[in-house]
Amino acid sequence: MHPFCPGYDREPFRSLASGYPGPDVYPPRDFRVEWGPIFHRGRLDGTARVLVLGQDPATHETITRRILVGEAGQRVQGLLARLGITSSYTMVNTFVFSVFGQGGGTRHTHDPAIAAYRHRWLDALLLPETVTAVIALGTLAKTAYRDWADTQPAAAARLHLAAIRHPTFPESASAAGGVTLADATANLLQDWNKHLPDLRAHVEPDEPVPERLYGDTWQDGDLQAIPVADLPAGSPSWWTSLDGWARRTGTDAQLKRATITVTIPSAARTWPPLT
Ligand code: URA
């Protein structure tokens, strides 16, 4: 059997997924609206106890139509595993469309129309009182959560917020200069370690796991594969692979914005030898 994500088959998610904002709200100058919105990953059936609020979808998410599926998602899946959370989570992003260009996201931090739609998702997921903790990835997600919390102070008061560094902080910080990838990775892992005890105290695990902190570098098991049950029906199993398989390619900016190249990882090329 191949478990799969049933998608948006119930209200209010059916209406949210059919009535999403378009380019009048998400300007194509700042967002890759041409690839369509990508809404969530995880449980929408009221069983989630943790909400992860990410930033925006990237290449793997664009192909799978679920968020936090690429390396950032696998790092987050590993963090949830340290809380003993294997299935009782939902993830949504600050932006349903992928951010385009430098500053595309920050220009829309408090955008009221973008926030209004996001708040409908957060209301749907956080008002029923089954979620006990929110993990916000990076500063845009933290701000987005705080903006929602201002609109729902009673609900926010009973939620634990862990505003942690974004899982790709090491790559973005080292690319910006001034810090090495190794130092930025150690910094991220120290930050996540700092939040783990409080998160464990506020989250009832699916399966109790011993408390374990991160080291200074990524270790085996720190990244966890995305469960196939989180992906649409019929998803190929290599979509859950820890090896990257989707990237933007193109010899100029036009082509690069228009192209995602998908390559099946070598370990998944299980077809008979080609002659
Ligand atoms: N992919 C997502 O869907 N969200 C992030 O924040 C990063 C990668």
Side-chain angles (χ1 to χ4, degrees):
M1 296 302 282
H2 303 277
F4 62 87
C5 170
Y8 311 98
D9 58 345
R10 63 182 71 204
E11 290 294 355
F13 305 107
R14 179 189 289 273
S15 299
L16 283 164
S18 48
Y20 60 83
D24 51 326
V25 169
Y26 275 92
R29 183 182 62 128
D30 293 333
F31 295 98
R32 302 175 193 269
V33 287
E34 62 279 3
W35 289 95
I38 302 138
F39 300 110
H40 101 294
R41 175 159 76 80
R43 315 287 81 74
L44 296 178
D45 58 1
T47 61
R49 294 193 298 278
V50 180
L51 176 80
V52 176
L53 182 54
Q55 185 176 301
D56 69 303
T59 49
H60 292 79
E61 292 77 18
T62 302
I63 302 300
T64 60
R65 313 315 293 177
R66 294 294 180 271
I67 71 160
L68 285 160
V69 167
E71 188 158 353
Q74 295 159 6
R75 290 177 183 178
V76 171
Q77 204 69 33
L79 177 68
L80 292 175
R82 280 174 196 257
L83 306 176
I85 290 290
T86 51
S87 66
S88 302
Y89 54 81
T90 311
M91 307 181 184
V92 289
N93 275 329
T94 302
F95 302 115
V96 288
F97 294 100
S98 183
V99 169
F100 180 75
Q102 291 280 325
T106 38
R107 260 198 292 281
H108 297 276
T109 309
H110 298 288
D111 192 316
I114 290 179
Y117 178 74
R118 182 170 60 229
H119 289 178
R120 288 174 56 208
W121 273 92
L122 293 175
D123 284 352
L125 295 168
L126 296 177
L127 296 187
E129 302 201 3
T130 40
V131 170
T132 57
V134 175
I135 304 176
L137 310 179
T139 49
L140 286 167
K142 177 169 74 176
T143 307
Y145 176 78
R146 294 235 160 100
D147 284 354
W148 170 82
D150 286 345
T151 69
Q152 298 287 0
R158 51 158 201 87
L159 285 163
H160 173 70
L161 170 66
I164 68 173
R165 281 208 189 283
H166 191 276
T168 58
F169 167 80
E171 286 74 13
S172 50
S174 57
V179 61
T180 63
L181 181 64
D183 285 350
T185 301
N187 182 306
L188 172 92
L189 296 173
Q190 275 161 22
D191 177 72
W192 286 16
N193 278 342
K194 199 176 74 196
H195 288 279
L196 271 173
D198 272 350
L199 269 171
R200 287 175 60 92
H202 287 89
V203 171
E204 187 200 327
D206 294 318
E207 295 160 17
V209 286
E211 181 158 8
R212 221 164 42 83
L213 295 179
Y214 288 96
D216 284 337
T217 55
W218 296 112
Q219 313 277 327
D220 279 355
D222 285 350
L223 276 68
Q224 293 279 319
I226 307 308
V228 70
D230 286 10
L231 300 176
S235 297
S237 58
W238 50 267
W239 278 8
T240 68
S241 166
L242 293 182
D243 299 327
W245 48 262
R247 61 194 185 92
R248 294 188 204 283
T249 53
T251 44
D252 58 41
Q254 272 298 336
L255 206 51
K256 201 160 178 190
R257 182 159 172 165
T259 312
I260 293 176
T261 298
V262 171
T263 309
I264 299 181
S266 349
R269 296 178 201 164
T270 50
W271 48 81
L274 304 178
T275 50

